[in-house]
Amino acid sequence: MAPSKRVFLFTAVAAASTLHGRQALNQSTPPTVTLNGSTIENPTAYATPFVLNVEDMWDLLVGPVSTALVTTTASATPVPSSSLIPPPPLYYSSFPSGQQNPMVVKNESWSFPRGFMWGVAGAAWQVEGAVKDEGRGPSVWDVLSHRVTNFEYDNGTADITDNHYYLYKQDLARLAALGVKAYSFSISWSRIMPFGRGPVNQIAIDHYNDLINTCLGYNIIPLATLYHWDTPLALQDTYGGWLSENIVNDFVEYARIAYAAFGDRVDYWFTVNEPSVFCNQYPLPAQYFKNFTIPWQQQPYYCGHNVLLAHSQAYRLGKSMMPNSTIAWKSNGGYKVPLTNSTEDAEAVQRAWDFNEGLWSDPIYLTGDYNDNVKAYISSFLPAFTDGQKAAILGSADIYAHDAYTSQFNFAPDGGIAACLANTSNPLYPVCSNSSFIYTQQDGGWLIGPAADPLTPWLYKATDWVPAFLHYIKDTWAKDKPIAVSEFGFAEPFERQKTYLQDILFDPIRSAYYHDYMEAILIALSEGVNVIGCLAWSFVDNFEWASAYGVRFGMQYVNFSDPTLPRYYKASFFEYKNAFDVYQEK
Ligand code: BGC
């Protein structure tokens, strides 16, 4: 059966229940409406089963999408040697070797171990494009970008983005030409299963098979992420995506299909990317997705709970199917520095760890259950984990993978932590930890480091804190397990405004970020922290979620105005590569 003919049983519930905003979420009794003089007690009870195929879903729920110039898989062409020449000196001294470092000597006490996996990362929805091609079903992000007014910067869509779906051979050739050792990509769940469950799309399996084989052909290690935020729309519309425990079985079944198809060649797996980000996106914008009856403040925690169940089961299944694999999830968040040395600020720092990284890391690495601060908040509405669930969660990661982009200061809210905890309408409730990127006035009032693009207000080049950050992860959660910096990267300020190619390619703050970050990892390694790899975000400019094409994270520039979408290495890519040329044991 061709993928576009596969059917999905879609239950459309009367509009009255879907079109409410946050205010209506607490309602416990169904609304009563009056039509033509007769009262209808519970209009939400009217339901109809629609049968939709993939094409219908796109047409009805997303609308028309754009297609790229290239719509078949392109073969790679040789990378010209002229594009492999590193840039001249930047405004600081670089590592010794290559064209950009006349003055510095190598630090002989540093090295990256031979097997250190230095690589790059991307994610399906941000780089693939071809959103509707070859049987892919829509994800929530296709709807957000097409249907939610002003949701995206400049109304951008990821319909085409880098067209990596068809250009991956060339992309991998370009990575291989620089000697990149590892490529971390995510699999689009709704390509493999257009409705998130049910029929499997063989064309998608064939596609990722070829991508993986192409990596291996270049000796590039493939690392696969099962879920990078692109929830299949059918699952969101049917039961609320991660808000419902129904997602656990669907995710595990999807994991089973991916492991069975690719597990003979992919040894490194990440189940979910950054739950603290995608869970905090709940409630997704009203009017477009069913909000159900979970109060909006609680939604991130329902999501988090279901993530722990889904992740742990997918981990256990993966280990049973691929005993030699390395499986983890991807945590994220900046290093948390107390703003002052007060006791309250120390407590605020702890609360921030507890509600962010700790919400998943404490159960997975320490106890099988939530930490006390989280429990104090969620125990009134979420069920406790059963002993069986706790046992499955505890130890369900072989490494600690952290997307460690930046650092921040944390401090107690105005009025103190206790007052915040007593006031559920405090905007900082329930975490009750404030944050900032600025030192106190007594410490000069400086930023923690140079700012990234204004559209990424959460990101500063705070690389000085990275060794302490890695020690913290080791001491708190990883212990004897290896650590991977599974994403890190920088958005050069105002890069979108540059028009002159050579100017775009010379990205000094991003280059300094990679240089200093590598130095920080070398320091941590020399101090005994077992970092096994790092994956730079990103190998190309791509679709940066709600910031669309307004923000550039690529170490390669992509000219999105040219329909052939040409790629060019930026200076930062050479800086990154140079660190390994100099410091990786041969
Ligand atoms: C996410 C990426 C995102 C990057 C930069 C990471 O947290 O995993 O998808 O593009 O940050 O914002």
Side-chain angles (χ1 to χ4, degrees):
M1 189 159 48
S4 65
K5 293 284 180 290
R6 287 177 177 144
V7 291
F8 155 60
L9 253 192
F10 178 77
T11 304
V13 182
S17 76
T18 60
L19 296 183
H20 58 50
R22 281 183 187 176
Q23 310 84 304
L25 287 171
N26 280 313
Q27 68 191 26
S28 50
T29 45
T32 301
V33 296
T34 305
L35 281 180
N36 301 328
S38 61
T39 299
I40 300 169
E41 278 307 327
N42 180 7
T44 62
Y46 296 118
T48 182
F50 282 135
V51 176
L52 304 179
N53 67 24
V54 188
E55 194 77 20
D56 298 333
M57 277 191 79
W58 281 102
D59 291 348
L60 287 171
L61 305 173
V62 182
V65 301
S66 314
T67 46
L69 183 68
V70 176
T71 54
T72 53
T73 302
S75 337
T77 52
V79 179
S81 53
S82 60
S83 56
L84 297 173
I85 301 168
L90 291 158
Y91 62 80
Y92 60 90
S93 301
S94 192
F95 290 125
S97 114
Q99 194 171 325
Q100 70 269 59
N101 38 51
M103 289 178 312
V104 182
V105 290
K106 182 175 175 188
N107 182 334
E108 295 297 339
S109 59
W110 287 345
S111 70
F112 293 108
R114 261 176 83 181
F116 190 89
M117 277 187 281
W118 75 274
V120 294
W125 197 72
Q126 296 179 266
V127 300
E128 282 184 355
V131 286
K132 200 179 154 183
D133 290 7
E134 303 198 331
R136 179 179 176 276
S139 78
V140 290
W141 277 92
D142 295 295
V143 174
L144 293 172
S145 57
H146 275 270
R147 288 281 171 104
V148 182
T149 316
N150 295 330
F151 189 77
E152 295 289 354
Y153 177 84
D154 220 9
N155 295 317
T157 75
D159 293 356
I160 298 174
T161 177
D162 296 304
N163 205 20
H164 180 65
Y165 184 76
Y166 293 120
L167 302 182
Y168 62 94
K169 287 184 196 286
Q170 183 64 19
D171 280 334
L172 288 163
R174 293 182 64 80
L175 299 184
L178 285 187
V180 170
K181 283 198 166 178
Y183 175 48
S184 172
F185 62 97
S186 82
I187 299 170
S188 161
W189 184 348
S190 63
R191 260 192 214 290
I192 302 283
M193 303 172 92
F195 311 119
R197 56 177 164 174
V200 174
N201 177 8
Q202 187 58 41
I203 305 175
I205 304 263
D206 295 347
H207 166 79
Y208 291 110
N209 264 330
D210 196 46
L211 183 144
I212 291 161
N213 292 342
T214 309
C215 286
L216 297 174
Y218 286 116
N219 269 330
I220 292 176
I221 300 165
L223 298 98
T225 298
L226 290 170
Y227 174 77
H228 197 121
W229 306 355
D230 42 359
T231 311
L233 178 61
L235 303 187
Q236 185 63 41
D237 275 343
T238 307
Y239 53 64
W242 289 99
L243 295 183
S244 164
E245 205 173 321
N246 285 328
I247 201 152
V248 177
N249 284 345
D250 287 341
F251 181 75
V252 174
E253 190 48 32
Y254 158 56
R256 180 195 312 280
I257 286 155
Y259 296 151
F262 315 124
D264 56 338
R265 285 150 297 140
V266 176
D267 293 333
Y268 295 89
W269 291 87
F270 298 117
T271 54
V272 292
N273 179 68
E274 303 185 352
S276 81
V277 177
F278 70 83
C279 285
N280 275 304
Q281 280 160 2
Y282 284 101
L284 290 163
Q287 277 82 37
Y288 289 89
F289 299 107
K290 279 176 72 167
N291 283 314
F292 299 83
T293 51
I294 301 170
W296 67 268
Q297 264 184 335
Q298 297 176 3
Q299 292 192 20
Y301 299 91
Y302 276 84
C303 169
H305 198 77
N306 295 325
V307 163
L308 278 166
L309 297 173
H311 156 78
S312 56
Q313 291 188 29
Y315 171 85
R316 303 280 160 210
L317 175 69
K319 296 305 277 189
S320 72
M321 293 172 70
M322 310 170 294
N324 298 324
S325 58
T326 298
I327 309 180
W329 60 297
K330 284 168 74 192
S331 172
N332 80 290
Y335 185 55
K336 299 167 210 346
V337 184
L339 184 65
T340 72
N341 58 10
S342 73
T343 318
E344 276 257 296
D345 285 0
E347 195 183 331
V349 166
Q350 187 58 49
R351 292 191 67 82
W353 288 119
D354 284 354
F355 277 85
N356 194 61
E357 292 81 350
L359 202 141
W360 295 275
S361 304
D362 293 342
I364 292 173
Y365 297 91
L366 301 184
T367 61
D369 204 352
Y370 296 114
N371 61 60
D372 289 346
N373 280 332
V374 168
K375 250 192 209 166
Y377 176 57
I378 54 130
S379 53
S380 63
F381 57 88
L382 276 177
F385 288 126
T386 64
D387 287 346
Q389 288 169 337
K390 284 187 205 162
I393 292 169
L394 181 60
S396 60
D398 300 321
I399 61 173
Y400 194 99
H402 198 73
D403 296 354
Y405 281 78
T406 193
S407 299
Q408 70 204 45
F409 297 109
N410 279 85
F411 54 101
D414 288 347
I417 294 172
C420 169
L421 286 173
N423 175 10
T424 54
S425 48
N426 187 315
L428 295 173
Y429 182 84
V431 185
C432 292
S433 178
N434 216 338
S435 63
S436 157
F437 296 95
I438 304 173
Y439 281 88
T440 62
Q441 282 308 320
Q442 292 88 313
D443 289 333
W446 291 96
L447 281 177
I448 196 163
D453 191 275
L455 291 179
T456 50
W458 53 272
L459 181 55
Y460 293 79
K461 180 194 165 292
T463 41
D464 285 1
W465 294 99
V466 170
F469 197 171
L470 294 170
H471 276 283
Y472 184 87
I473 289 172
K474 172 182 156 64
D475 296 344
T476 313
W477 296 296
K479 316 263 175 174
D480 294 335
K481 290 184 176 176
I483 295 171
V485 179
S486 39
E487 276 183 37
F488 66 119
F490 196 77
E492 192 79 8
F494 302 106
E495 205 171 272
R496 68 182 163 279
Q497 291 176 6
K498 294 187 178 189
T499 50
Y500 173 45
L501 176 64
Q502 277 71 15
D503 182 26
I504 295 169
L505 301 187
F506 222 144
D507 51 348
I509 310 185
R510 186 185 288 113
S511 298
Y513 176 95
Y514 281 116
H515 171 274
D516 293 353
Y517 208 117
M518 291 303 98
E519 203 164 275
I521 294 180
L522 285 162
I523 291 169
L525 281 166
S526 74
E527 292 170 352
V529 182
N530 183 12
V531 183
I532 55 165
C534 60
L535 300 163
W537 184 275
S538 177
F539 72 103
V540 278
D541 290 337
N542 59 50
F543 194 86
E544 177 55 21
W545 305 110
S547 301
Y549 304 106
V551 162
R552 310 283 164 93
F553 270 91
M555 294 190 300
Q556 292 185 79
Y557 166 61
V558 179
N559 182 353
F560 292 110
S561 320
D562 178 335
T564 66
L565 299 166
R567 280 77 155 136
Y568 306 83
Y569 303 114
K570 297 180 191 172
S572 53
F573 213 150
F574 290 98
E575 189 67 60
Y576 185 47
K577 160 196 161 49
N578 190 41
F580 301 96
D581 286 349
V582 176
Y583 283 109
Q584 187 149 28
E585 290 167 17
K586 304 284 182 273

